[in-house]
Amino acid sequence: MLFNSIEFAIFLPLVFAIYWLLNKHLRWQNLFVVLASYVFYGWWDWRFLILIAFTSFCSWGSGLLINQSPKPKRWLTLNIVVNLLILGVFKYFNFFVGSFCDLFGISNSLVLQVILPVGISFYTFQALSYSIDVYRKRIAPTRDVVAFFAYVSFFPQLVAGPIERATNLLPQFERQRTFNYEEAVDGMRRILWGLFKKIVVADNCATYVDQVWNNYANESGSTLALAAILFAFQIYGDFSGYSDIAIGSAKLFGIRLKDNFLTPYFSRNVAEFWKRWHISLNTWFVDYVYIPLGGSREGRWKTIRNTFVIFLLSGLWHGANWTYVTWGLYHALLFVPLILLGRTKAYSGVATWKQIPQILLTFALVVLGWIIFRAPSISDAWGYICGMFQWGTLRSVYRFFIPSDLYIWPKNILILICICIEWFGRKKPHCLANIENLPLLKCRFLRILLYALAFISILFFRGGLHPFIYFQF
C-alpha cells in the first residue's frame, strides 16, 4: 500500500479511529497495530507476511535465550546468521550466482525467480539491532511478544524506515499512550510536507529523468546534466518525503520516530552529508560495524579501512547490483582526504549564506554519485558521465536556467520553492514545524490558506503515480 494512494487515504483515518477507541486496553491496542501493519504490508503480497512473522519470532526468541543462556553469543550468532541468510537468499542469491557464472563463463542455470519482499532490508536490520542490543545489555529482553511484533512491523516505517532501534521504539509499545492534539497537528503538517515533496517534486522530476535515461546516448551534455540534478531532487523528495509521512503518521498514534533526514543538500562536505542523509541506516552501520571494527580510535589508516568497509556494505545493502557497490566505493574515496586532513567533524550547526560555495561543491560531488546509483550498469554510468562532460555541456550551460523544453519550467519552479522552504526552515525539526510562530503566519486564516495551497498543488501538479524508490531495498 503506497502512502500516496487512495487506499492509504482511507486506511490511515480508519486505523487511527479504531486505535484510539482501544486506548484503555494496551495489549488489544498493540494487537490491532500488528493486525493493521500486516494488512498494510500484505497489500503487496500476502506471502511476505510469513517472512516478516518468522523474522520477528526468531529475533524475539533470541532475545530471551541470550538473556537466559550461559553462552549468549551462540544464540546471538544463530539469530544473525538466520536473518542474514534469509536476506541473502531473497536479495542476493541471483546476483552472486550470476556474477560467478559470468566471471567463469558458466551457464547460468541456477538463477531463481525469487520475488524480492518489499522493505526486507529495513525490517531485518531493525530486528537484528534488538538482539544485538540485548546481548550488549543496552535493553532488557521483552516477554511481550505482541509489543515486539508491533515494534518490527509498525506500518508507518515498515517498508522504508526510519530503521528504528528497540531502545527507542519498543518501550513506546510497552507503555500506555495518550492522544496529544499538538503532536497530532504537527504530524499532519509533516505528512502534508512529505506528500508535497513526493508527489509534487519527486514524481514530476521522475518523469523527465526516466525519459532522459531511456535515451541518454542521444541526449546533449546539458540535458544529461540537468537530468542528473533533477534525479538528486527526485530521490531526496521521494525518500525524505516518505520519512516525513512515516514520522508524521506515527505521531498520530502517539509514537515518536527518529529523524531520518536533516536538510542533507545544505551540507558543507561529504562527511556532513552522511550525517544528514538516511541517518538511521548510517548510524546502524556505525554502531554495529564501524565501532566494533575500531572506528577512528586506531589511527588514520585503520579509520580509512573501516570507512571503506561500511560504505561498501552500505552500497551492497541498497541492492544486488555492482552500481550500488561502486557508488559506496565512490563515497568512501571522497572520505579519504577528509580523514587525512582531519575534517570529518569540521562542521557543526546549520549552514550559512557565506558557506554556499562549499554547499554547491558538495552537492556536485553527490550528484555525480547519484548517476552511478541510478544507472542500470557500470557501463551505463560511465557512458552517461562521459556524455555529460562533453563540450556541448559547457557551450549550453545557460540551458540549466533557460531550458528549451517548456515541460521543465514547472519542475524548476517547484524545486526552487522546496529549496527556499527548507533553507529557511533548516533550524527546525521539519520545515512546517512551529509555523504559527512566524510573523506572517500568526493569523490562523493565512495558515489554513498555506495548507490549502499545498494540498491543491498535490492534487493538480501530480507527476504520475510512482512507487517510492527505496521500496526496492
Side-chain angles (χ1 to χ4, degrees):
M1 191 181 298
L2 299 174
F3 281 168
N4 53 335
S5 66
I6 297 297
E7 292 87 351
F8 186 75
I10 298 170
F11 174 83
L12 183 62
L14 183 63
V15 172
F16 173 82
I18 299 174
Y19 175 88
W20 287 113
L21 286 174
L22 298 170
N23 188 41
K24 294 182 179 180
H25 308 282
L26 179 61
R27 191 169 182 82
W28 284 103
Q29 192 180 51
N30 286 340
L31 189 61
F32 177 71
V33 168
V34 176
L35 176 64
S37 299
Y38 274 49
V39 169
F40 175 85
Y41 190 66
W43 203 263
W44 285 280
D45 192 324
W46 66 268
R47 292 172 295 179
F48 295 167
L49 298 177
I50 300 172
L51 199 60
I52 190 174
F54 180 75
T55 297
S56 301
F57 184 79
C58 287
S59 296
W60 172 74
S62 71
L64 298 176
L65 293 169
I66 289 168
N67 187 57
Q68 297 170 0
S69 173
K71 296 182 179 179
K73 193 171 184 179
R74 176 183 299 175
W75 294 108
L76 172 66
T77 303
L78 179 61
N79 185 57
I80 291 174
V81 169
V82 168
N83 278 286
L84 292 184
L85 185 62
I86 293 171
L87 181 62
V89 168
F90 279 90
K91 192 166 184 176
Y92 303 108
F93 180 84
N94 287 347
F95 170 65
F96 286 115
V97 169
S99 298
F100 179 84
C101 292
D102 291 343
L103 182 63
F104 293 99
I106 302 172
S107 176
N108 196 350
S109 60
L110 294 176
V111 172
L112 302 176
Q113 297 302 317
V114 178
I115 300 174
L116 179 65
V118 177
I120 186 173
S121 298
F122 287 92
Y123 70 71
T124 298
F125 271 34
Q126 186 156 313
L128 283 177
S129 70
Y130 167 77
S131 56
I132 297 172
D133 284 347
V134 169
Y135 176 78
R136 292 179 175 180
K137 306 296 184 184
R138 291 183 177 176
I139 187 173
T142 182
R143 293 186 175 277
D144 189 342
V145 66
V146 175
F148 185 81
F149 270 58
Y151 154 72
V152 174
S153 65
F154 186 45
F155 74 88
Q157 48 85 226
L158 173 58
V159 293
I163 302 171
E164 276 293 342
R165 305 295 179 81
T167 50
N168 175 56
L169 184 55
L170 183 56
Q172 296 187 64
F173 285 112
E174 294 179 318
R175 62 174 180 258
Q176 200 78 31
R177 277 94 58 190
T178 56
F179 179 75
N180 185 305
Y181 176 78
E182 288 74 19
E183 286 285 297
V185 169
D186 187 66
M188 290 298 293
R189 288 174 183 158
R190 193 148 191 176
I191 292 171
L192 181 65
W193 181 238
L195 288 171
F196 180 89
K197 286 196 287 186
K198 165 60 180 169
I199 296 174
V200 180
V201 176
D203 287 353
N204 276 289
C205 289
T207 303
Y208 182 78
V209 170
D210 291 345
Q211 174 187 323
V212 171
W213 268 100
N214 289 337
N215 192 38
Y216 74 88
N218 298 318
E219 299 288 358
S220 66
S222 58
T223 299
L224 296 180
L226 179 59
I229 293 171
L230 288 178
F231 178 70
F233 287 103
Q234 177 196 344
I235 195 169
Y236 173 68
D238 191 285
F239 194 17
S240 71
Y242 179 96
S243 295
D244 282 332
I245 298 168
I247 294 169
S249 298
K251 282 192 170 188
L252 297 178
F253 300 95
I255 300 292
R256 297 186 67 88
L257 302 178
K258 292 184 177 180
D259 285 318
N260 212 18
F261 290 86
L262 292 173
T263 55
Y265 287 159
F266 299 146
S267 302
R268 290 150 287 189
N269 64 23
V270 174
E272 185 184 11
F273 171 80
W274 281 105
K275 292 174 183 176
R276 294 175 173 272
W277 177 277
H278 202 174
I279 299 168
S280 62
L281 177 66
N282 299 327
T283 54
W284 198 100
F285 276 115
V286 168
D287 290 346
Y288 300 121
V289 180
Y290 183 75
I291 292 176
L293 287 174
S296 57
R297 303 186 303 272
E298 300 179 7
R300 289 182 177 177
W301 294 113
K302 286 191 176 180
T303 300
I304 292 173
R305 179 203 67 183
N306 298 339
T307 300
F308 270 81
V309 170
I310 63 169
F311 271 107
L312 288 173
L313 287 175
S314 177
L316 190 60
W317 177 91
H318 279 83
N321 194 319
W322 288 112
T323 54
Y324 298 125
V325 177
T326 305
W327 171 75
L329 178 63
Y330 168 77
H331 277 278
L333 289 170
L334 293 180
F335 257 76
V336 172
L338 298 177
I339 294 171
L340 294 176
L341 295 172
R343 295 186 63 83
T344 57
K345 299 179 180 179
Y347 295 109
S348 60
V350 297
T352 63
W353 291 98
K354 295 180 180 179
Q355 295 169 320
I356 286 181
Q358 294 103 301
I359 293 172
L360 293 177
L361 175 60
T362 303
F363 180 71
L365 294 173
V366 170
V367 167
L368 195 60
W370 286 136
I371 295 173
I372 303 170
F373 186 95
R374 172 64 175 77
S377 66
I378 299 296
S379 60
D380 286 316
W382 179 249
Y384 192 103
I385 292 171
C386 290
M388 189 175 69
F389 284 106
Q390 61 185 304
W391 173 244
T393 305
L394 300 176
R395 289 188 304 166
S396 56
V397 68
Y398 68 90
R399 290 186 183 178
F400 292 126
F401 308 100
I402 312 176
S404 57
D405 189 349
L406 294 178
Y407 182 68
I408 305 302
W409 272 99
K411 295 179 176 58
N412 290 346
I413 295 171
L414 293 171
I415 290 172
L416 183 61
I417 291 171
C418 184
I419 292 172
C420 291
I421 292 174
E422 295 228 325
W423 176 263
F424 290 108
R426 67 193 186 281
K427 295 182 181 180
K428 299 186 292 186
H430 64 93
C431 298
L432 299 185
N434 304 318
I435 63 171
E436 65 275 7
N437 296 328
L438 296 176
L440 294 177
L441 295 174
K442 288 185 179 294
C443 174
R444 187 176 182 181
F445 173 77
L446 293 178
R447 293 200 302 275
I448 294 174
L449 180 62
L450 176 66
Y451 302 147
L453 289 174
F455 186 71
I456 290 170
S457 298
I458 291 169
L459 290 179
F460 293 100
F461 290 96
R462 301 175 68 91
L465 188 63
H466 296 270
F468 287 88
I469 293 173
Y470 267 69
F471 276 17
Q472 63 186 299
F473 307 135

